Amino acid sequence: MSQLASAIEKLQSALPGRVVVDPDVLETYARDETVDLYALPACVVRAQSAIDVSTVLKICNDYGVAVTPRGAGTGVTGGSVAVNGGIVLSLEKMNRVLEIDARNMSAVVEPGAITADIQTALAGGGGAARPVRGAQALPQGLRPYGREAAGRRR
């Protein structure tokens, strides 16, 4: 049995009902909005929690299997396409807005949250956001954490 097949078997055991191997479903994960890029993953794991993500990464690391994370698949750069083979780790079910801090113009969201989810949460909490370009962009006024949080470097 190959390392990839062993990893998929272990994933199916560890995360029952979350590992997809149906070719028709895999086909929908073989591309994003990039028109000229296509790569069929060996399987898709639909994570529902940080523990699921950790489990996938540990198993795939143990077997040397490539992992391609994927949100909604609306990108145009091919970043969510499994061009190196292996599996797609779908984060689309992890889409909750956990916290909106309007005063500090920040939000804590799960990786599958899209702009519409954040805008809905802002509207419900008295905040407001203008629509912005790109499905993964943050609403106007909110700032990302990490490298881009400090703004442009000159």
Side-chain angles (χ1 to χ4, degrees), residues 17-80:
R18 292 186 206 119
V19 180
V20 179
V21 294
D22 178 344
D24 291 335
V25 176
L26 295 180
E27 184 73 29
T28 65
Y29 288 87
R31 64 178 70 244
D32 61 6
E33 295 298 318
T34 308
V35 294
D36 60 347
L37 189 60
Y38 174 92
L40 194 67
C43 75
V44 173
V45 180
R46 292 180 173 154
Q48 296 177 356
S49 69
I51 292 171
D52 289 356
V53 172
S54 178
T55 299
V56 169
L57 295 177
K58 171 146 184 21
I59 291 170
C60 288
N61 184 60
D62 289 347
Y63 287 92
V65 172
V67 177
T68 303
R70 179 184 177 102
T74 57
V76 294
T77 62
S80 67

Side-chain angles (χ1 to χ4, degrees), residues 121-147:
L122 282 167
R130 297 183 324 177
V132 293
R133 293 185 313 154
Q136 302 306 319
L138 289 174
Q140 183 68 28
L142 294 179
R143 303 288 182 251
Y145 289 107
R147 200 175 101 201

Side-chain angles (χ1 to χ4, degrees), residues 11 13 17 19 30 37 50 78 97 117 120-121 126 128 141-142 148-149 151:
L11 288 166
S13 174
V19 180
L37 189 60
V97 177
D117 299 333
T120 299
L142 294 179
E148 299 300 320

